[in-house]
């Protein structure tokens, strides 16, 4: 019997699999990487050797209004480490700079002050100017231009009124944008709901290029890069994290060049050959990404790549924050997967419903695979109404999967499905 810990909320849940059933345990190499320098040293080294730009302190000289875009409570960006160093670097170039920290929420709910204190620390919350983006306040946004897809680009006006725009984030495989980080701080991070929705339209999500690890010809990525260039993002700081959310590398400098270096690094450590199983067990990497059902398709999409025909997917996600979006909840509970997909496919890009992409991806996967959701927080009746099967533990879910696929079913385990780039 093999015992495999599966990330869940702020801890793990144990999965027990008989040796003869276990086909593979797939983990990204990054979880075994141990940096030779401290997290602070890695960040400072990246800032001291920017890729494709002058140093941030040089760029900050003479710049009065500076905006630093950072991630919200759904992302594991180690801002307690990165933000103080970024702010100090800016002020070394211009001690009098007026700095605004803009939290990129996309279409997520507002980040609370309590969450900000956990993310940034009391010192920053008490002494820095922090603005939380609200995609649903039209007066906060200005039209900039049309994007390559034809979408209207409306961005938070703070990004257009500053002298220097800086972003921070972290890079991991992303199931329809290719990779996270870089340009995503702007779109969807600080765009209006209309712009985010159109970028996430049914047609864009359905593109064969809109998948993990793919940037070339990816229409979602192309719009994102265009948007970030249009508002003149001058400098980015992106980090790579291990399984414990610790920094193992950092990349700073030009929007595209630094991000590309980071993506290459992540690809080298996350790319894993596909092993096909009758049952695939995974997680969204624990908190914060597993806090709601809306975030969970990231790892489900990774599991999909390893699930054989009619394979069963077991997804472990606490969903401590519930469904994660009122529009998504309404859509995912609105009927069968065929009914949901048919309805969404008929919606023109400019009429895209907020959060519909999430229901679209779940429906696509559910048409081929049963999904068993392991959660101890989300109401199990809601899970059933969302066309999934609820379970309270990985072992309970595995027993259910064996009933569907048979006692001899081969099991593939991807403990952290968000960090793995499964390649055939």
């Amino acid at each position: 019997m093999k015992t495999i810990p599966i990330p869940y909320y702020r801890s793990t849940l144990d999965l027990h699999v008989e040796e003869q059933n276990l086909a593979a345990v797939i983990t990204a190499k990054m979880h075994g990487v141990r940096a030779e320098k401290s997290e602070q040293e890695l960040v400072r080294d990246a800032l001291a050797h920017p890729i494709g730009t002058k140093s941030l302190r040089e760029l900050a000289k003479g710049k009065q209004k500076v905006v630093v875009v950072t991630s919200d409570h759904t992302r594991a960006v180690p801002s307690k480490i990165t933000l103080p160093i970024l702010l100090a670097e800016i002020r070394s170039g211009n001690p009098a700079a007026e700095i605004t920290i803009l939290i990129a929420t996309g279409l997520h709910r507002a980040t609370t002050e309590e969450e900000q204190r956990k993310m940034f620390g009391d010192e920053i919350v008490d002494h820095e100017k922090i603005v939380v983006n609200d995609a649903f306040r039209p007066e906060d946004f200005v039209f900039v231009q049309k994007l390559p897809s034809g979408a209207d680009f409306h961005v938070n006006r703070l990004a257009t009124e500053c002298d220097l725009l800086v972003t921070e984030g972290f890079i991991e495989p992303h199931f329809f944008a290719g990779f996270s980080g870089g340009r995503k701080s702007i779109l969807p991070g600080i765009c209006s709901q209309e712009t985010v929705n159109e970028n996430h339209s049914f047609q864009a999500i359905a593109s064969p290029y809109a998948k993990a690890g793919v940037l070339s010809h990816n229409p979602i990525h192309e719009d994102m890069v265009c948007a970030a260039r249009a508002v003149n993002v001058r400098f980015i700081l992106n980090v790579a994290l291990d399984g414990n959310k610790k920094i193992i590398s950092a990349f700073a400098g030009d929007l595209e060049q630094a991000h590309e270096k980071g993506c290459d690094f992540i690809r080298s450590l996350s790319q894993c050959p596909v092993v096909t199983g009758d049952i695939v067990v995974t997680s969204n990497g624990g908190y914060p990404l597993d806090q709601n059902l809306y975030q969970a398709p990231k790892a489900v999409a990774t599991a999909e790549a390893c699930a054989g025909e009619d394979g069963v997917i077991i997804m472990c996600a606490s969903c401590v924050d519930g469904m994660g979006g009122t529009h998504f909840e309404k859509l995912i509970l609105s009927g069968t997967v065929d009914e949901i997909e048919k309805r969404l496919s008929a919606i023109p890009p400019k009429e895209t419903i907020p959060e519909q992409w999430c229901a679209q991806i779940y429906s696509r996967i559910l048409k081929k695979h049963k999904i068993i959701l392991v959660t101890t927080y989300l109401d199990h009746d809601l899970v059933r109404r969302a066309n999934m099967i609820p379970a309270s533990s990985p072992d309970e879910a595995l027993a259910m999967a064996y009933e569907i696929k048979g006692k001899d079913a081969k099991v593939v385990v991807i403990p952290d499905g968000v960090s793995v780039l499964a390649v055939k």
Side-chain angles (χ1 to χ4, degrees):
M1 181 75 71
K2 186 84 170 179
T3 301
I4 305 166
I6 308 294
Y8 182 86
Y9 194 33
R10 298 184 185 276
S11 184
T12 59
L13 296 175
D14 283 342
L15 170 71
H16 300 91
V17 187
E18 295 288 348
E19 296 280 358
Q20 65 266 25
N21 291 98
L22 187 61
V25 178
I26 301 175
T27 58
K29 296 176 185 175
M30 67 182 63
H31 294 339
V33 173
R34 294 293 177 266
E36 295 181 358
K37 298 180 179 180
S38 71
E39 295 179 277
Q40 290 83 356
E41 287 174 324
L42 290 171
V43 172
R44 290 193 177 97
D45 280 356
L47 292 176
H49 303 92
I51 301 165
T53 67
K54 296 179 180 179
S55 69
L56 183 54
R57 65 178 62 191
E58 283 293 319
L59 293 174
K61 289 180 179 179
K63 304 299 191 300
Q64 194 60 33
K65 291 185 177 181
V66 180
V67 170
V68 178
V69 181
T70 188
S71 298
D72 72 359
H73 55 283
T74 67
R75 300 295 184 262
V77 179
S79 294
K80 274 188 178 179
I81 294 171
T82 56
L83 261 185
I85 298 173
L86 267 178
L87 297 177
E89 186 77 1
I90 293 168
R91 288 181 173 128
S92 68
N94 182 9
E98 299 173 11
I99 302 175
T100 299
I101 297 170
L102 179 57
I103 299 178
T105 54
L107 297 184
H108 307 155
R109 66 166 174 79
T111 302
T112 66
E113 182 181 323
E114 180 182 359
E115 288 167 333
Q116 291 176 35
R117 292 186 181 278
K118 289 179 181 178
M119 293 158 53
F120 309 143
D122 292 336
E123 181 71 18
I124 284 178
V125 174
D126 290 338
H127 297 101
E128 301 291 346
K129 180 181 179 182
I130 299 175
V131 176
V132 182
N133 182 71
D134 184 346
F136 306 98
R137 282 173 50 91
E139 61 269 29
D140 290 351
F141 298 88
V142 294
F143 173 76
V144 178
Q145 66 176 59
K146 291 277 189 180
L147 298 176
S149 68
D152 295 325
F153 175 36
H154 293 88
V155 71
N156 192 299
R157 65 176 64 253
L158 291 174
T160 66
E161 295 172 350
C162 64
D163 303 318
L164 177 62
L165 184 57
V166 179
T167 73
E168 71 157 6
F170 80 109
I171 304 174
E172 66 181 355
H174 190 281
F175 63 137
F176 61 74
F179 290 92
S180 65
R183 71 283 185 244
K184 273 185 103 269
S185 293
I186 305 302
L187 174 58
I190 58 169
C191 287
S192 70
Q193 62 169 325
E194 292 84 4
T195 298
V196 177
N197 290 336
E198 195 163 357
N199 181 251
H200 293 19
S201 70
F202 185 93
Q203 290 83 350
I205 295 293
S207 167
Y209 300 104
K211 60 183 181 180
V214 177
L215 297 179
S216 180
H217 304 298
N218 185 330
I220 295 171
H221 166 70
E222 289 173 351
D223 269 15
M224 289 176 174
V225 171
C226 181
R229 282 298 185 202
V231 292
N232 196 26
V233 173
R234 296 295 306 279
F235 197 93
I236 72 168
L237 170 64
N238 280 187
V239 297
L241 306 175
D242 66 13
N244 296 316
K245 311 294 191 294
K246 300 294 185 183
I247 299 171
I248 55 174
S249 192
F251 309 88
D254 178 72
L255 170 72
E256 292 181 78
Q257 293 181 49
H259 185 247
E260 183 180 346
K261 288 288 187 182
C263 290
D264 289 345
F265 177 81
I266 293 297
R267 189 190 302 277
S268 71
L269 295 179
S270 64
Q271 190 164 298
C272 300
V274 163
V275 179
T276 302
D278 304 301
I279 301 167
V280 183
V281 186
T282 191
S283 83
N284 232 39
Y287 188 85
L289 276 180
D290 84 337
Q291 65 184 280
N292 55 51
L293 192 63
Y294 174 74
Q295 296 290 341
K298 293 177 170 64
V300 176
T302 302
E304 178 189 23
C306 294
E309 187 176 352
D310 299 325
V312 175
I313 295 172
I314 297 174
M315 175 66 192
C316 301
S318 71
C319 300
V320 65
D321 202 25
M323 297 293 278
T326 54
H327 294 282
F328 162 66
E329 181 173 354
K330 184 177 180 180
L331 287 170
I332 200 68
L333 302 179
S334 66
T336 66
V337 292
D338 288 326
E339 290 169 342
I340 293 170
E341 186 174 64
K342 182 178 179 180
R343 177 188 176 196
L344 297 180
S345 67
I347 299 174
K350 290 193 180 300
E351 297 176 22
T352 300
I353 300 169
E355 304 158 359
Q356 76 171 47
W357 64 268
C358 192
Q360 176 184 348
I361 290 174
Y362 273 127
S363 297
R364 184 199 77 208
I365 297 173
L366 281 163
K367 287 179 70 174
K368 299 178 181 178
H369 308 283
K370 292 185 184 298
I371 297 177
I372 302 175
L373 179 66
V374 177
T375 174
T376 53
Y377 294 93
L378 190 61
D379 184 273
H380 282 194
D381 285 336
L382 273 180
V383 176
R384 295 185 186 93
R385 288 177 58 199
N387 299 297
M388 302 179 201
I389 303 167
S392 297
S393 71
D395 287 348
E396 179 188 350
L398 186 58
M400 293 177 177
Y402 282 140
E403 289 182 8
I404 297 169
K405 300 300 296 182
K407 294 294 184 183
D408 295 327
K410 293 301 180 182
V411 181
V412 172
V413 183
I414 313 173
D416 182 354
V418 182
S419 68
V420 169
L421 179 57
V423 178
K424 292 183 179 180

